[in-house]
C-alpha cells in the first residue's frame, strides 16, 4: 500500500528543521551505504554522529507518531530514528530495495523493516527532478509531495530517486517494524479502520458500528506479532 500522509509537519516546523540541518552540515551519503548501494547512491546526509542528529530525528518521529493516518496505516511496533538526506547537482539514488533488517543506533536492537517512509522537507517548486519512483504490482508510481507531507510504502518495494537537475531536494526518511508483518493484512486493516471512522461520523457508535470495531480488533489480535 502506497499512502500519502498530508501535513505531518507544519510549514514553520519544516523551516525550523531546514535551518538546523543547514547549520549542522551535510556529509556524503556513501558513509552509510553498503557495497551494492554505493554503486547507485549519490546524495548527502546528516551524519548520525552529528550532535544535531538526535534532537532533529526525534522531532520528526514525534510528529509521525501523532498523526492518526500514520498510526493506522503503519501500526508501528518499532520506529527507527528518522534520518535526513539532500540531493542536488544531479544527485540520485538508483533502483534499490531497502535492507530487510536495520540496527537501531540507540539500542543496538535489530529491527525488521516492514514500512519505508519519506517526509518531504522541500517544496516541489524548489527543485527539478528528484521524484521518488516506487514500483509495485500495480505499476510505477511517481511521488513528489509538498514540504511536510509524507509517503509510506512497503520496504520490499523497488524504488529510486530520480536525478535532481536543479535546486535541492531535502527529506527525512525512516523505517518501521509494524505490528503486522504482511503488507496485504496491514492494508486490509487500514481500509477497515477508515471505514469504521466514516461510519462513526455518519451513524455514531450504534450496535453495528461497535460490532465492526470489534471485528477490527479481533483481526489485529490474530495478526499482530
Amino acid at each position: 500500500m502506497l499512502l500519502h500522509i498530508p501535513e505531518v509537519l507544519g510549514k514553520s516546523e519544516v523551516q525550523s528543521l531546514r535551518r538546523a540541518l543547514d547549520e549542522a552540515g551535510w556529509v556524503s551519503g556513501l558513509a552509510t551505504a553498503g557495497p551494492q548501494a554505493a554503486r547507485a547512491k549519490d546524495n548527502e546526509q546528516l551524519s548520525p554522529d552529528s550532535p544535531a542528529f538526535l534532537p532533529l530525528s526525534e522531532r520528526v518521529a514525534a510528529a509521525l507518531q501523532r498523526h492518526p493516518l500514520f498510526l493506522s496505516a503503519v501500526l508501528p511496533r518499532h520506529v527507527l530514528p528518522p534520518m535526513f538526506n539532500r540531493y542536488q547537482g544531479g544527485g540520485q539514488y538508483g533502483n534499490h530495495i531497502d535492507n530487510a533488517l536495520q540496527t537501531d543506533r540507540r539500542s543496538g536492537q535489530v529491527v525488521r523493516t516492514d514500512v519505508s517512509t519519506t517526509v518531504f522537507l522541500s517544496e516541489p517548486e524548489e527543485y527539478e527532478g528528484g521524484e521518488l519512483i516506487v514500483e509495485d504490482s500495480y505499476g510505477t508510481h511517481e511521488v513528489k509531495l509538498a514540504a511536510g507531507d509524507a509517503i509510506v510504502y512497503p520496504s520490499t518495494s523497488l524504488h529510486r530517486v530520480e536525478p535532481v537537475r536543479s535546486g535541492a531536494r531535502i527529506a527525512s526518511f525512516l523505517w518501521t517494524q509494524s505490528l503486522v508483518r504482511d503488507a496485504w493484512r496491514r492494508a486490509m486493516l487500514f481500509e477497515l479502520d477508515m471505514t469504521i471512522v466514516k461510519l462513526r461520523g455518519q451513524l455514531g457508535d450504534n450496535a453495528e458500528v461497535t460490532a465492526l470495531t470489534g471485528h477490527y480488533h479481533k483481526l489485529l489480535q490474530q495478526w499482530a506479532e
Side-chain angles (χ1 to χ4, degrees), residues 137-155:
S137 56
Y138 294 105
T140 300
H141 310 276
E142 181 179 298
V143 183
K144 192 172 185 178
L145 301 178
D149 287 11
I151 192 79
V152 299
Y153 55 95
S155 297

Side-chain angles (χ1 to χ4, degrees), residues 47-104:
S47 171
D49 297 324
S50 168
F53 178 83
L54 187 58
L56 296 179
S57 180
E58 289 177 342
R59 285 164 64 178
V60 175
L64 284 165
Q65 302 239 40
R66 289 193 299 266
H67 203 294
L69 278 182
F70 180 81
L71 297 177
S72 178
V74 177
L75 295 170
R77 173 184 283 280
H78 192 124
V79 179
L80 286 164
M83 300 177 70
F84 301 90
N85 57 23
R86 179 173 70 176
Y87 294 81
Q88 59 181 357
Q92 61 181 309
Y93 199 158
N95 275 336
H96 64 285
I97 294 175
D98 295 330
N99 290 339
L101 301 173
Q102 300 270 2
T103 300
D104 189 329

Side-chain angles (χ1 to χ4, degrees), residues 18-40:
R18 290 274 298 269
R19 287 192 296 271
L21 288 167
D22 287 339
E23 291 171 4
W26 300 93
V27 300
S28 171
L30 295 178
T32 58
Q36 186 177 33
R39 293 194 293 270

Side-chain angles (χ1 to χ4, degrees), residues 16 21-22 40 55 60 89-90 110 125 130 147 156 181 200 207-208 214 223:
S16 174
L21 288 167
D22 287 339
V60 175
V110 177
E125 60 269 20
T156 52
R181 180 197 302 251
R200 290 187 69 194
E208 290 76 16
W223 292 342

Side-chain angles (χ1 to χ4, degrees), residues 125-144:
E125 60 269 20
E126 290 186 79
Y127 60 100
E128 292 185 11
E131 296 84 1
L132 172 64
I133 307 296
V134 181
E135 299 182 15
D136 60 20
S137 56
Y138 294 105
T140 300
H141 310 276
E142 181 179 298
V143 183
K144 192 172 185 178

